[in-house]
Amino acid sequence: LTLISPEPVWIPPRPLPPDHLEAALAQTDEMLRSGLAVRCMSSFNCPVLCVPKPLGRNETKPKFRVCIDMRGINSRTVKINYPLIGTHDALEMAQGYDWYSCSDCCAGFHQVKVEPSIQFMLAYSVGPTLKVAPRRVNMGGLNSMSSFLFCLNRCVGSLQRGIAELV
């Protein structure tokens, strides 16, 4: 993560309604327990908001998706461009094979580790007292997609020619 200027990006936490705060704390606690985030002290801060998920079958109480508003840090981040293959080209590359397989990318960006020396720059706060830094790449970061595609290409790039074509 390279910033345009060295000053910390600190945006105050947004007040959350009680049910949103409860969901945000629960999900953040799960991230802490699973090792996806660590408690931290940082001069950087991104606010958190909660977005309701669509109600499932037989659900009456809404569930929330915790979103980190990274617009502040994104506006000061140097953009990395990594080539993304077009859909038409990918479909053409996939023609002519007898067998197809799909790589398990269900965790997506959460499979890519954040360099420990920059974790503090991605810090966010939940409520008035809990501040955490992610140990894995978040979806809202400016270079998240480029980093994920770079890592995916490094892992399976040798399979792209001859044996299989991965999209």
Side-chain angles (χ1 to χ4, degrees):
L1 182 69
T2 306
L3 297 180
I4 294 168
S5 62
E7 295 86 30
V9 178
W10 191 88
I11 299 170
R14 290 192 178 105
L16 297 173
D19 54 340
H20 292 211
L21 181 60
E22 181 182 326
L25 288 170
Q27 288 181 37
T28 302
D29 189 48
E30 177 59 33
M31 289 179 70
L32 290 168
R33 275 187 274 131
S34 66
L36 292 175
V38 292
R39 290 181 182 269
C40 75
M41 291 179 61
S42 173
S43 55
F44 288 75
N45 189 61
C46 294
V48 169
L49 59 123
C50 291
V51 178
K53 292 181 180 181
L55 287 177
R57 201 173 269 186
N58 299 325
E59 286 185 338
T60 56
K61 185 179 178 189
K63 293 181 182 178
F64 297 97
R65 178 174 289 117
V66 175
C67 301
I68 303 166
D69 184 357
M70 300 185 77
R71 290 179 290 181
I73 192 85
N74 286 346
S75 68
R76 302 249 307 273
T77 301
V78 175
K79 184 173 182 167
I80 298 171
N81 291 314
Y82 192 80
L84 176 62
I85 189 167
T87 305
H88 182 72
D89 294 333
L91 291 172
E92 280 188 11
M93 289 171 60
Q95 290 179 346
Y97 290 96
D98 294 331
W99 295 90
Y100 295 93
S101 177
C102 181
S103 176
D104 177 24
C105 292
C106 68
F109 302 141
H110 286 297
Q111 295 177 24
V112 181
K113 291 181 181 178
V114 172
E115 175 67 33
S117 64
I118 64 166
Q119 286 176 357
F120 73 97
M121 292 183 198
L122 303 173
Y124 62 94
S125 54
V126 180
T129 59
L130 180 60
K131 190 161 195 173
V132 297
R135 297 178 75 195
R136 305 281 193 223
V137 173
N138 285 326
M139 226 167 107
L142 178 67
N143 294 320
S144 296
M145 179 61 98
S146 296
S147 300
F148 178 69
L149 290 173
F150 175 78
C151 292
L152 188 63
N153 193 41
R154 291 289 305 261
C155 293
V156 297
S158 62
L159 299 176
Q160 287 184 338
R161 304 284 187 266
I163 299 172
E165 297 289 343
L166 298 176
V167 179

